[in-house]
mmCIF file of all heavy atoms in Angstrom:
data_model
loop_
_atom_site.group_PDB
_atom_site.id
_atom_site.type_symbol
_atom_site.label_atom_id
_atom_site.label_comp_id
_atom_site.label_asym_id
_atom_site.label_seq_id
_atom_site.Cartn_x
_atom_site.Cartn_y
_atom_site.Cartn_z
ATOM 1 N N GLY W 11 -281.475 -5.854 -49.795
ATOM 2 C CA GLY W 11 -281.961 -5.736 -48.425
ATOM 3 C C GLY W 11 -280.909 -5.251 -47.456
ATOM 4 O O GLY W 11 -281.100 -5.338 -46.233
ATOM 5 N N GLY W 12 -279.821 -4.689 -47.952
ATOM 6 C CA GLY W 12 -278.658 -4.417 -47.112
ATOM 7 C C GLY W 12 -278.848 -3.376 -46.041
ATOM 8 O O GLY W 12 -278.200 -3.430 -44.998
ATOM 9 N N LEU W 13 -279.698 -2.386 -46.264
ATOM 10 C CA LEU W 13 -279.934 -1.346 -45.256
ATOM 11 C C LEU W 13 -281.411 -1.268 -44.874
ATOM 12 O O LEU W 13 -281.915 -0.234 -44.468
ATOM 13 C CB LEU W 13 -279.427 0.008 -45.774
ATOM 14 C CG LEU W 13 -277.899 0.121 -45.805
ATOM 15 C CD1 LEU W 13 -277.450 1.319 -46.638
ATOM 16 C CD2 LEU W 13 -277.328 0.222 -44.387
ATOM 17 N N GLY W 14 -282.089 -2.382 -45.002
ATOM 18 C CA GLY W 14 -283.519 -2.500 -44.760
ATOM 19 C C GLY W 14 -284.121 -3.339 -45.863
ATOM 20 O O GLY W 14 -283.619 -3.358 -46.993
ATOM 21 N N ALA W 15 -285.204 -4.035 -45.571
ATOM 22 C CA ALA W 15 -285.785 -4.971 -46.532
ATOM 23 C C ALA W 15 -286.262 -4.287 -47.804
ATOM 24 O O ALA W 15 -286.509 -4.957 -48.807
ATOM 25 C CB ALA W 15 -286.961 -5.701 -45.878
ATOM 26 N N TRP W 16 -286.397 -2.965 -47.776
ATOM 27 C CA TRP W 16 -286.879 -2.182 -48.914
ATOM 28 C C TRP W 16 -285.724 -1.563 -49.716
ATOM 29 O O TRP W 16 -285.966 -0.791 -50.632
ATOM 30 C CB TRP W 16 -287.808 -1.072 -48.407
ATOM 31 C CG TRP W 16 -287.125 -0.182 -47.396
ATOM 32 C CD1 TRP W 16 -286.480 0.993 -47.631
ATOM 33 C CD2 TRP W 16 -286.998 -0.412 -45.982
ATOM 34 N NE1 TRP W 16 -285.949 1.515 -46.474
ATOM 35 C CE2 TRP W 16 -286.265 0.671 -45.441
ATOM 36 C CE3 TRP W 16 -287.436 -1.423 -45.138
ATOM 37 C CZ2 TRP W 16 -285.965 0.756 -44.087
ATOM 38 C CZ3 TRP W 16 -287.133 -1.329 -43.785
ATOM 39 C CH2 TRP W 16 -286.414 -0.252 -43.264
ATOM 40 N N THR W 17 -284.492 -1.856 -49.355
ATOM 41 C CA THR W 17 -283.334 -1.199 -49.969
ATOM 42 C C THR W 17 -282.474 -2.179 -50.762
ATOM 43 O O THR W 17 -282.504 -3.389 -50.527
ATOM 44 C CB THR W 17 -282.454 -0.530 -48.904
ATOM 45 O OG1 THR W 17 -281.837 -1.559 -48.104
ATOM 46 C CG2 THR W 17 -283.249 0.413 -48.023
ATOM 47 N N GLU W 18 -281.679 -1.637 -51.649
ATOM 48 C CA GLU W 18 -280.670 -2.410 -52.361
ATOM 49 C C GLU W 18 -279.459 -1.505 -52.613
ATOM 50 O O GLU W 18 -279.229 -1.047 -53.731
ATOM 51 C CB GLU W 18 -281.221 -2.966 -53.671
ATOM 52 C CG GLU W 18 -280.291 -4.004 -54.289
ATOM 53 C CD GLU W 18 -280.862 -4.606 -55.563
ATOM 54 O OE1 GLU W 18 -281.143 -3.833 -56.510
ATOM 55 O OE2 GLU W 18 -281.045 -5.836 -55.604
ATOM 56 N N PRO W 19 -278.693 -1.223 -51.551
ATOM 57 C CA PRO W 19 -277.533 -0.348 -51.712
ATOM 58 C C PRO W 19 -276.446 -0.983 -52.566
ATOM 59 O O PRO W 19 -276.384 -2.203 -52.723
ATOM 60 C CB PRO W 19 -277.048 -0.130 -50.276
ATOM 61 C CG PRO W 19 -277.582 -1.300 -49.507
ATOM 62 C CD PRO W 19 -278.874 -1.667 -50.164
ATOM 63 N N ARG W 20 -275.589 -0.110 -53.102
ATOM 64 C CA ARG W 20 -274.471 -0.534 -53.946
ATOM 65 C C ARG W 20 -273.256 0.311 -53.573
ATOM 66 O O ARG W 20 -273.370 1.529 -53.422
ATOM 67 C CB ARG W 20 -274.777 -0.285 -55.428
ATOM 68 C CG ARG W 20 -275.953 -1.085 -55.974
ATOM 69 C CD ARG W 20 -276.450 -0.513 -57.296
ATOM 70 N NE ARG W 20 -277.407 -1.426 -57.928
ATOM 71 C CZ ARG W 20 -277.097 -2.331 -58.835
ATOM 72 N NH1 ARG W 20 -275.831 -2.432 -59.256
ATOM 73 N NH2 ARG W 20 -278.011 -3.119 -59.357
ATOM 74 N N CYS W 21 -272.113 -0.327 -53.453
ATOM 75 C CA CYS W 21 -270.877 0.406 -53.183
ATOM 76 C C CYS W 21 -269.773 -0.069 -54.118
ATOM 77 O O CYS W 21 -269.572 -1.288 -54.278
ATOM 78 C CB CYS W 21 -270.422 0.225 -51.738
ATOM 79 S SG CYS W 21 -271.214 1.344 -50.561
ATOM 80 N N PRO W 22 -269.061 0.869 -54.736
ATOM 81 C CA PRO W 22 -267.930 0.478 -55.577
ATOM 82 C C PRO W 22 -266.733 0.037 -54.737
ATOM 83 O O PRO W 22 -266.576 0.414 -53.575
ATOM 84 C CB PRO W 22 -267.600 1.765 -56.342
ATOM 85 C CG PRO W 22 -268.751 2.686 -56.122
ATOM 86 C CD PRO W 22 -269.337 2.303 -54.809
ATOM 87 N N VAL W 23 -265.893 -0.756 -55.353
ATOM 88 C CA VAL W 23 -264.615 -1.154 -54.766
ATOM 89 C C VAL W 23 -263.578 -0.094 -55.088
ATOM 90 O O VAL W 23 -263.563 0.460 -56.197
ATOM 91 C CB VAL W 23 -264.185 -2.532 -55.323
ATOM 92 C CG1 VAL W 23 -262.740 -2.854 -54.959
ATOM 93 C CG2 VAL W 23 -265.137 -3.614 -54.823
ATOM 94 N N ALA W 24 -262.706 0.211 -54.141
ATOM 95 C CA ALA W 24 -261.599 1.144 -54.399
ATOM 96 C C ALA W 24 -260.362 0.398 -54.877
ATOM 97 O O ALA W 24 -259.717 0.797 -55.847
ATOM 98 C CB ALA W 24 -261.290 1.959 -53.148
ATOM 99 N N SER W 25 -260.016 -0.711 -54.184
ATOM 100 C CA SER W 25 -258.831 -1.486 -54.576
ATOM 101 C C SER W 25 -258.937 -2.883 -53.979
ATOM 102 O O SER W 25 -259.675 -3.113 -53.013
ATOM 103 C CB SER W 25 -257.542 -0.809 -54.095
ATOM 104 O OG SER W 25 -257.500 -0.756 -52.677
ATOM 105 N N ILE W 26 -258.185 -3.826 -54.566
ATOM 106 C CA ILE W 26 -258.155 -5.201 -54.084
ATOM 107 C C ILE W 26 -256.718 -5.701 -54.107
ATOM 108 O O ILE W 26 -256.010 -5.556 -55.114
ATOM 109 C CB ILE W 26 -259.024 -6.132 -54.959
ATOM 110 C CG1 ILE W 26 -260.475 -5.637 -55.010
ATOM 111 C CG2 ILE W 26 -258.983 -7.564 -54.443
ATOM 112 C CD1 ILE W 26 -261.374 -6.458 -55.912
ATOM 113 N N SER W 27 -256.293 -6.249 -52.987
ATOM 114 C CA SER W 27 -255.016 -6.958 -52.931
ATOM 115 C C SER W 27 -255.317 -8.427 -52.640
ATOM 116 O O SER W 27 -256.483 -8.827 -52.586
ATOM 117 C CB SER W 27 -254.109 -6.359 -51.858
ATOM 118 O OG SER W 27 -254.631 -6.607 -50.562
ATOM 119 N N SER W 28 -254.302 -9.217 -52.403
ATOM 120 C CA SER W 28 -254.521 -10.655 -52.236
ATOM 121 C C SER W 28 -255.407 -10.983 -51.046
ATOM 122 O O SER W 28 -256.127 -11.988 -51.053
ATOM 123 C CB SER W 28 -253.180 -11.382 -52.094
ATOM 124 O OG SER W 28 -252.490 -10.915 -50.947
ATOM 125 N N THR W 29 -255.381 -10.165 -49.997
ATOM 126 C CA THR W 29 -256.190 -10.466 -48.809
ATOM 127 C C THR W 29 -257.034 -9.291 -48.330
ATOM 128 O O THR W 29 -257.686 -9.392 -47.291
ATOM 129 C CB THR W 29 -255.281 -10.901 -47.641
ATOM 130 O OG1 THR W 29 -254.345 -9.847 -47.356
ATOM 131 C CG2 THR W 29 -254.544 -12.185 -47.979
ATOM 132 N N THR W 30 -257.059 -8.187 -49.053
ATOM 133 C CA THR W 30 -257.760 -6.984 -48.594
ATOM 134 C C THR W 30 -258.593 -6.379 -49.725
ATOM 135 O O THR W 30 -258.081 -6.153 -50.825
ATOM 136 C CB THR W 30 -256.779 -5.928 -48.071
ATOM 137 O OG1 THR W 30 -255.998 -6.494 -47.014
ATOM 138 C CG2 THR W 30 -257.526 -4.706 -47.542
ATOM 139 N N ILE W 31 -259.838 -6.120 -49.421
ATOM 140 C CA ILE W 31 -260.715 -5.371 -50.325
ATOM 141 C C ILE W 31 -261.026 -4.047 -49.649
ATOM 142 O O ILE W 31 -261.623 -4.013 -48.569
ATOM 143 C CB ILE W 31 -262.016 -6.131 -50.611
ATOM 144 C CG1 ILE W 31 -261.732 -7.493 -51.235
ATOM 145 C CG2 ILE W 31 -262.932 -5.310 -51.527
ATOM 146 C CD1 ILE W 31 -262.968 -8.377 -51.350
ATOM 147 N N THR W 32 -260.605 -2.963 -50.256
ATOM 148 C CA THR W 32 -260.890 -1.625 -49.731
ATOM 149 C C THR W 32 -262.051 -1.032 -50.524
ATOM 150 O O THR W 32 -261.990 -0.961 -51.758
ATOM 151 C CB THR W 32 -259.659 -0.715 -49.841
ATOM 152 O OG1 THR W 32 -258.576 -1.307 -49.118
ATOM 153 C CG2 THR W 32 -259.963 0.659 -49.268
ATOM 154 N N MET W 33 -263.088 -0.630 -49.821
ATOM 155 C CA MET W 33 -264.274 -0.102 -50.476
ATOM 156 C C MET W 33 -264.154 1.398 -50.684
ATOM 157 O O MET W 33 -263.431 2.100 -49.964
ATOM 158 C CB MET W 33 -265.516 -0.428 -49.650
ATOM 159 C CG MET W 33 -265.752 -1.916 -49.448
ATOM 160 S SD MET W 33 -265.996 -2.817 -50.999
ATOM 161 C CE MET W 33 -267.586 -2.160 -51.530
ATOM 162 N N ALA W 34 -264.871 1.905 -51.692
ATOM 163 C CA ALA W 34 -264.809 3.325 -52.047
ATOM 164 C C ALA W 34 -265.487 4.170 -50.981
ATOM 165 O O ALA W 34 -266.513 3.789 -50.403
ATOM 166 C CB ALA W 34 -265.465 3.551 -53.406
ATOM 167 N N GLN W 35 -264.908 5.324 -50.745
ATOM 168 C CA GLN W 35 -265.463 6.308 -49.826
ATOM 169 C C GLN W 35 -265.975 7.513 -50.617
ATOM 170 O O GLN W 35 -265.419 7.855 -51.646
ATOM 171 C CB GLN W 35 -264.403 6.766 -48.821
ATOM 172 C CG GLN W 35 -263.878 5.682 -47.921
ATOM 173 C CD GLN W 35 -264.891 5.237 -46.875
ATOM 174 O OE1 GLN W 35 -266.064 5.611 -46.920
ATOM 175 N NE2 GLN W 35 -264.440 4.418 -45.932
ATOM 176 N N PRO W 36 -267.100 8.097 -50.180
ATOM 177 C CA PRO W 36 -267.745 7.929 -48.869
ATOM 178 C C PRO W 36 -268.829 6.846 -48.818
ATOM 179 O O PRO W 36 -269.500 6.718 -47.795
ATOM 180 C CB PRO W 36 -268.372 9.290 -48.632
ATOM 181 C CG PRO W 36 -268.761 9.751 -50.004
ATOM 182 C CD PRO W 36 -267.659 9.269 -50.914
ATOM 183 N N CYS W 37 -269.027 6.099 -49.900
ATOM 184 C CA CYS W 37 -270.123 5.129 -49.902
ATOM 185 C C CYS W 37 -270.032 4.170 -48.719
ATOM 186 O O CYS W 37 -271.037 3.888 -48.056
ATOM 187 C CB CYS W 37 -270.141 4.343 -51.212
ATOM 188 S SG CYS W 37 -271.559 3.224 -51.357
ATOM 189 N N TRP W 38 -268.823 3.679 -48.458
ATOM 190 C CA TRP W 38 -268.684 2.660 -47.422
ATOM 191 C C TRP W 38 -269.045 3.200 -46.039
ATOM 192 O O TRP W 38 -269.813 2.581 -45.292
ATOM 193 C CB TRP W 38 -267.276 2.077 -47.434
ATOM 194 C CG TRP W 38 -267.106 0.897 -46.536
ATOM 195 C CD1 TRP W 38 -266.307 0.808 -45.433
ATOM 196 C CD2 TRP W 38 -267.759 -0.379 -46.652
ATOM 197 N NE1 TRP W 38 -266.409 -0.435 -44.850
ATOM 198 C CE2 TRP W 38 -267.295 -1.187 -45.584
ATOM 199 C CE3 TRP W 38 -268.682 -0.906 -47.539
ATOM 200 C CZ2 TRP W 38 -267.731 -2.497 -45.395
ATOM 201 C CZ3 TRP W 38 -269.113 -2.215 -47.354
ATOM 202 C CH2 TRP W 38 -268.630 -2.998 -46.296
ATOM 203 N N ASN W 39 -268.506 4.363 -45.688
ATOM 204 C CA ASN W 39 -268.847 4.939 -44.388
ATOM 205 C C ASN W 39 -270.336 5.263 -44.294
ATOM 206 O O ASN W 39 -270.979 5.032 -43.259
ATOM 207 C CB ASN W 39 -268.033 6.208 -44.132
ATOM 208 C CG ASN W 39 -266.610 5.903 -43.675
ATOM 209 O OD1 ASN W 39 -266.274 4.753 -43.379
ATOM 210 N ND2 ASN W 39 -265.770 6.919 -43.640
ATOM 211 N N ASN W 40 -270.914 5.795 -45.377
ATOM 212 C CA ASN W 40 -272.330 6.154 -45.353
ATOM 213 C C ASN W 40 -273.230 4.932 -45.233
ATOM 214 O O ASN W 40 -274.387 5.052 -44.813
ATOM 215 C CB ASN W 40 -272.687 6.947 -46.612
ATOM 216 C CG ASN W 40 -272.127 8.356 -46.582
ATOM 217 O OD1 ASN W 40 -271.846 8.902 -45.516
ATOM 218 N ND2 ASN W 40 -271.952 8.951 -47.752
ATOM 219 N N SER W 41 -272.686 3.770 -45.568
ATOM 220 C CA SER W 41 -273.475 2.538 -45.521
ATOM 221 C C SER W 41 -273.155 1.656 -44.329
ATOM 222 O O SER W 41 -273.826 0.634 -44.126
ATOM 223 C CB SER W 41 -273.250 1.732 -46.812
ATOM 224 O OG SER W 41 -273.581 2.490 -47.943
ATOM 225 N N THR W 42 -272.150 2.022 -43.543
ATOM 226 C CA THR W 42 -271.760 1.173 -42.410
ATOM 227 C C THR W 42 -271.569 1.927 -41.098
ATOM 228 O O THR W 42 -271.373 1.301 -40.056
ATOM 229 C CB THR W 42 -270.438 0.436 -42.715
ATOM 230 O OG1 THR W 42 -269.396 1.402 -42.943
ATOM 231 C CG2 THR W 42 -270.583 -0.457 -43.939
ATOM 232 N N LYS W 43 -271.644 3.256 -41.114
ATOM 233 C CA LYS W 43 -271.342 4.021 -39.895
ATOM 234 C C LYS W 43 -272.452 4.989 -39.504
ATOM 235 O O LYS W 43 -272.194 5.987 -38.823
ATOM 236 C CB LYS W 43 -270.028 4.787 -40.070
ATOM 237 C CG LYS W 43 -268.810 3.885 -40.180
ATOM 238 C CD LYS W 43 -267.527 4.691 -40.206
ATOM 239 C CE LYS W 43 -266.303 3.787 -40.248
ATOM 240 N NZ LYS W 43 -265.038 4.559 -40.249
ATOM 241 N N ARG W 44 -273.670 4.706 -39.914
ATOM 242 C CA ARG W 44 -274.761 5.577 -39.501
ATOM 243 C C ARG W 44 -274.836 5.591 -37.972
ATOM 244 O O ARG W 44 -274.693 4.553 -37.324
ATOM 245 C CB ARG W 44 -276.068 5.122 -40.137
ATOM 246 C CG ARG W 44 -276.007 5.195 -41.666
ATOM 247 C CD ARG W 44 -277.277 4.777 -42.351
ATOM 248 N NE ARG W 44 -277.098 4.767 -43.798
ATOM 249 C CZ ARG W 44 -278.039 4.439 -44.672
ATOM 250 N NH1 ARG W 44 -279.240 4.070 -44.223
ATOM 251 N NH2 ARG W 44 -277.796 4.464 -45.966
ATOM 252 N N VAL W 45 -275.053 6.763 -37.415
ATOM 253 C CA VAL W 45 -274.831 6.976 -35.983
ATOM 254 C C VAL W 45 -276.062 6.590 -35.167
ATOM 255 O O VAL W 45 -277.182 7.022 -35.446
ATOM 256 C CB VAL W 45 -274.465 8.445 -35.718
ATOM 257 C CG1 VAL W 45 -274.201 8.668 -34.224
ATOM 258 C CG2 VAL W 45 -273.238 8.838 -36.548
ATOM 259 N N LEU W 46 -275.835 5.788 -34.126
ATOM 260 C CA LEU W 46 -276.916 5.381 -33.237
ATOM 261 C C LEU W 46 -277.287 6.502 -32.276
ATOM 262 O O LEU W 46 -276.418 7.238 -31.777
ATOM 263 C CB LEU W 46 -276.519 4.141 -32.435
ATOM 264 C CG LEU W 46 -276.465 2.819 -33.199
ATOM 265 C CD1 LEU W 46 -275.989 1.719 -32.274
ATOM 266 C CD2 LEU W 46 -277.829 2.471 -33.781
ATOM 267 N N ARG W 47 -278.586 6.622 -32.013
ATOM 268 C CA ARG W 47 -279.057 7.567 -31.016
ATOM 269 C C ARG W 47 -278.555 7.147 -29.631
ATOM 270 O O ARG W 47 -278.291 5.965 -29.388
ATOM 271 C CB ARG W 47 -280.591 7.622 -31.014
ATOM 272 C CG ARG W 47 -281.171 8.162 -32.318
ATOM 273 C CD ARG W 47 -282.689 8.097 -32.303
ATOM 274 N NE ARG W 47 -283.251 8.904 -31.230
ATOM 275 C CZ ARG W 47 -283.548 10.198 -31.324
ATOM 276 N NH1 ARG W 47 -283.333 10.833 -32.470
ATOM 277 N NH2 ARG W 47 -284.055 10.855 -30.304
ATOM 278 N N THR W 48 -278.493 8.102 -28.743
ATOM 279 C CA THR W 48 -277.997 7.834 -27.389
ATOM 280 C C THR W 48 -279.131 7.603 -26.390
ATOM 281 O O THR W 48 -278.910 7.575 -25.184
ATOM 282 C CB THR W 48 -277.137 9.017 -26.908
ATOM 283 O OG1 THR W 48 -277.923 10.223 -26.935
ATOM 284 C CG2 THR W 48 -275.913 9.190 -27.781
ATOM 285 N N ASP W 49 -280.366 7.443 -26.897
ATOM 286 C CA ASP W 49 -281.521 7.293 -25.998
ATOM 287 C C ASP W 49 -281.839 5.839 -25.687
ATOM 288 O O ASP W 49 -282.861 5.546 -25.049
ATOM 289 C CB ASP W 49 -282.757 7.970 -26.598
ATOM 290 C CG ASP W 49 -283.102 7.433 -27.986
ATOM 291 O OD1 ASP W 49 -282.472 6.446 -28.415
ATOM 292 O OD2 ASP W 49 -283.982 8.019 -28.638
ATOM 293 N N GLY W 50 -280.982 4.924 -26.134
ATOM 294 C CA GLY W 50 -281.211 3.515 -25.867
ATOM 295 C C GLY W 50 -282.222 2.860 -26.786
ATOM 296 O O GLY W 50 -282.575 1.685 -26.590
ATOM 297 N N SER W 51 -282.700 3.586 -27.803
ATOM 298 C CA SER W 51 -283.701 3.030 -28.720
ATOM 299 C C SER W 51 -283.102 2.013 -29.675
ATOM 300 O O SER W 51 -283.837 1.209 -30.275
ATOM 301 C CB SER W 51 -284.357 4.155 -29.530
ATOM 302 O OG SER W 51 -283.392 4.781 -30.385
ATOM 303 N N GLY W 52 -281.777 2.046 -29.834
ATOM 304 C CA GLY W 52 -281.126 1.165 -30.797
ATOM 305 C C GLY W 52 -281.303 1.610 -32.229
ATOM 306 O O GLY W 52 -280.976 0.867 -33.158
ATOM 307 N N ARG W 53 -281.816 2.822 -32.434
ATOM 308 C CA ARG W 53 -282.060 3.334 -33.778
ATOM 309 C C ARG W 53 -281.023 4.383 -34.155
ATOM 310 O O ARG W 53 -280.446 5.052 -33.291
ATOM 311 C CB ARG W 53 -283.470 3.936 -33.877
ATOM 312 C CG ARG W 53 -284.573 2.923 -33.600
ATOM 313 C CD ARG W 53 -285.941 3.515 -33.879
ATOM 314 N NE ARG W 53 -287.021 2.559 -33.620
ATOM 315 C CZ ARG W 53 -287.431 1.638 -34.469
ATOM 316 N NH1 ARG W 53 -286.831 1.536 -35.655
ATOM 317 N NH2 ARG W 53 -288.412 0.813 -34.159
ATOM 318 N N THR W 54 -280.835 4.524 -35.440
ATOM 319 C CA THR W 54 -279.938 5.580 -35.918
ATOM 320 C C THR W 54 -280.660 6.917 -35.875
ATOM 321 O O THR W 54 -281.889 6.989 -35.780
ATOM 322 C CB THR W 54 -279.496 5.299 -37.362
ATOM 323 O OG1 THR W 54 -280.642 5.399 -38.220
ATOM 324 C CG2 THR W 54 -278.868 3.924 -37.492
ATOM 325 N N TYR W 55 -279.883 7.988 -36.016
ATOM 326 C CA TYR W 55 -280.508 9.305 -36.062
ATOM 327 C C TYR W 55 -281.350 9.494 -37.323
ATOM 328 O O TYR W 55 -282.255 10.319 -37.337
ATOM 329 C CB TYR W 55 -279.440 10.404 -35.960
ATOM 330 C CG TYR W 55 -278.966 10.616 -34.542
ATOM 331 C CD1 TYR W 55 -277.723 10.160 -34.120
ATOM 332 C CD2 TYR W 55 -279.768 11.275 -33.611
ATOM 333 C CE1 TYR W 55 -277.288 10.346 -32.817
ATOM 334 C CE2 TYR W 55 -279.344 11.463 -32.305
ATOM 335 C CZ TYR W 55 -278.104 11.003 -31.910
ATOM 336 O OH TYR W 55 -277.680 11.189 -30.607
#
């Protein structure tokens, strides 16, 4: 349900240190940075 109740996205890990998990790109950006419209609708493009 990560990107909507009808979805099940998956992202690989790039690396892990003792306190940091870095996710693989471009999956992470594509799953966390979808751009909001500027019309005040609160929806992505």
Side-chain angles (χ1 to χ4, degrees):
L13 287 166
W16 57 94
T17 68
E18 192 177 58
R20 297 164 170 266
C21 276
V23 169
S25 63
I26 302 177
S27 68
S28 61
T29 59
T30 303
I31 301 171
T32 302
M33 300 299 292
Q35 297 288 10
C37 185
W38 188 244
N39 281 350
N40 287 337
S41 303
T42 61
K43 293 186 177 181
R44 298 181 185 180
V45 181
L46 287 177
R47 295 176 61 88
T48 58
D49 57 8
S51 65
R53 299 187 180 277
T54 66
Y55 281 105

